Amino acid sequence: MDEQIIRTLQEQAIEERQYIQEKYGQDEDVVQVVNRRDYLTGRQSAAVRLYDNERNVPLHRHGYIELMYAYKGTFTHRFGEEKVLLEEGDLLVMNQYVEHCVVESGEENIGINIIAVPEFFEKPFQMLKKQNKIMDFLVEMLRRNTRKPQYLIFHIKGRHALENLMENLIESIMEGNGASEEISQYTMGLLFLYLAEQMDREEHDPVENYKDEIIQETLKYIEIQYRTARLGKIAEDYHLALPSLSKLIKEGTGSTFQELLMKRRFEKAAVLLLETNLPVEEIALNVGYENQSYFHRQFKMRYGVTPRRYRLIHRRKMRQQGKI
């Protein structure tokens, strides 16, 4: 993206920062409703603003549609009690009823916000030809009698057509004349068409993909780090609250984190009993249990016999089958 655009947005952000802070304050207990006229003037239907780390608007919703493009770095977004990490190149689209705020971002991060009234999306809606998550989102957004909070997250980093469309969209909105506004709406439509095509190739919607990613990373983490794995480490990595992460894992796997961890540990213990001559006490330590009586009790609960008896029975079978 043209660095002059970034500089222009940075200068604009400095001018607006004090006004926004004075108007909406920092009260975390009050959900503010940010007015569209704070950013849109006259007949303007869309505007571009830079998210800077000193703006710090508390939990709020707004009278407009907001897109946040993580142009550089990462941002942890809060939606009510849920926290979601936006990585570089991610695009977040929110309707006007989502309560949200940014709770963490690095000093060098650059987030670009597109602020638009619902009418701005009428042409993009007309350009979508078939039912998909984006069309459903736009239908809900343009429906006058709905107040359903909704947001979508798209990962567009490395997809050059999408990155170019995002930059073109930002530039055309910043030009701010009649012709550029129509171009902006058609560019938004093209962006949505590309995203819809991308979603057709994927099994789930972007939010579900993000959840699936967390679950797969959790399973991989347990598989490799079973001895010392802890739920708090994943929560820290993904900037999620422990209750939200626990619920996500339970819904995605049917088991709690602790159940998955114990299953992996005792599977590994069973392998070590058969493939090594390590003492049972050492095997317990190797899979993460210092409490020997607890290890023996849990092992017998799972396999019906003590660890030593398990080794004896299964090694005898292996000798009979010629495997050892």
Side-chain angles (χ1 to χ4, degrees), residues 177-190:
N177 55 49
S180 66
E181 180 161 319
E182 189 170 10
I183 291 170
S184 300
Q185 292 176 7
Y186 281 112
T187 304
M188 178 66 78
L190 287 171

Side-chain angles (χ1 to χ4, degrees), residues 157-187:
K157 185 175 181 180
R159 295 179 169 92
H160 300 302
L162 289 170
E163 290 175 332
N164 289 337
L165 282 169
M166 272 304 305
E167 293 187 17
N168 291 337
L169 177 62
I170 290 164
E171 290 185 32
S172 61
I173 292 175
M174 288 182 69
E175 286 180 14
N177 55 49
S180 66
E181 180 161 319
E182 189 170 10
I183 291 170
S184 300
Q185 292 176 7
Y186 281 112
T187 304

Side-chain angles (χ1 to χ4, degrees), residues 50-177:
L50 189 78
Y51 174 83
D52 69 317
N53 295 304
E54 298 185 49
R55 185 157 298 195
N56 296 327
V57 178
L59 189 65
H60 67 284
R61 56 185 177 84
H62 33 62
Y64 49 83
I65 313 304
E66 182 176 355
L67 289 75
M68 183 177 187
Y69 180 44
Y71 177 68
K72 181 180 179 183
T74 61
F75 299 83
T76 301
H77 232 89
R78 175 183 164 196
F79 301 101
E81 297 303 317
E82 183 183 6
K83 291 182 181 179
V84 173
L85 176 67
L86 294 186
E87 297 185 301
E88 188 170 300
D90 286 353
L91 175 64
L92 169 66
V93 186
M94 300 169 280
N95 74 0
Q96 58 265 55
Y97 305 112
V98 174
E99 295 177 3
H100 69 105
C101 64
V102 175
V103 292
E104 184 180 334
S105 64
E107 291 183 4
E108 301 301 320
N109 290 0
I110 297 176
I112 298 176
N113 291 61
I114 296 175
I115 293 158
V117 296
E119 291 76 14
F120 179 82
F121 295 89
E122 289 178 357
K123 282 191 177 70
F125 174 73
Q126 294 166 9
M127 293 172 69
L128 292 168
K129 301 298 183 184
K130 57 183 178 179
Q131 198 76 18
N132 53 57
K133 289 288 182 181
I134 299 175
M135 179 174 278
D136 292 343
F137 179 87
L138 293 176
V139 167
E140 287 291 335
M141 186 175 70
L142 296 171
R143 192 178 293 162
R144 303 295 182 183
N145 60 349
T146 184
R147 291 182 175 272
K148 180 181 177 182
Q150 281 186 301
Y151 69 90
L152 296 173
I153 300 172
F154 302 98
H155 309 288
I156 66 176
K157 185 175 181 180
R159 295 179 169 92
H160 300 302
L162 289 170
E163 290 175 332
N164 289 337
L165 282 169
M166 272 304 305
E167 293 187 17
N168 291 337
L169 177 62
I170 290 164
E171 290 185 32
S172 61
I173 292 175
M174 288 182 69
E175 286 180 14
N177 55 49

Side-chain angles (χ1 to χ4, degrees), residues 25-62:
Q26 299 295 313
D27 189 349
E28 291 292 337
D29 297 324
V30 179
V31 178
Q32 305 285 351
V33 180
V34 180
N35 195 305
R36 68 172 70 180
R37 293 305 170 196
D38 292 332
Y39 301 105
L40 301 173
T41 59
R43 300 181 65 181
Q44 218 180 1
S45 64
V48 176
R49 294 294 185 270
L50 189 78
Y51 174 83
D52 69 317
N53 295 304
E54 298 185 49
R55 185 157 298 195
N56 296 327
V57 178
L59 189 65
H60 67 284
R61 56 185 177 84
H62 33 62

Side-chain angles (χ1 to χ4, degrees), residues 13-24 54:
I14 292 171
E15 295 175 2
E16 289 181 341
R17 185 186 303 139
Q18 185 176 355
Y19 168 76
I20 294 297
Q21 288 180 343
E22 288 177 356
K23 183 171 181 178
Y24 296 103
E54 298 185 49

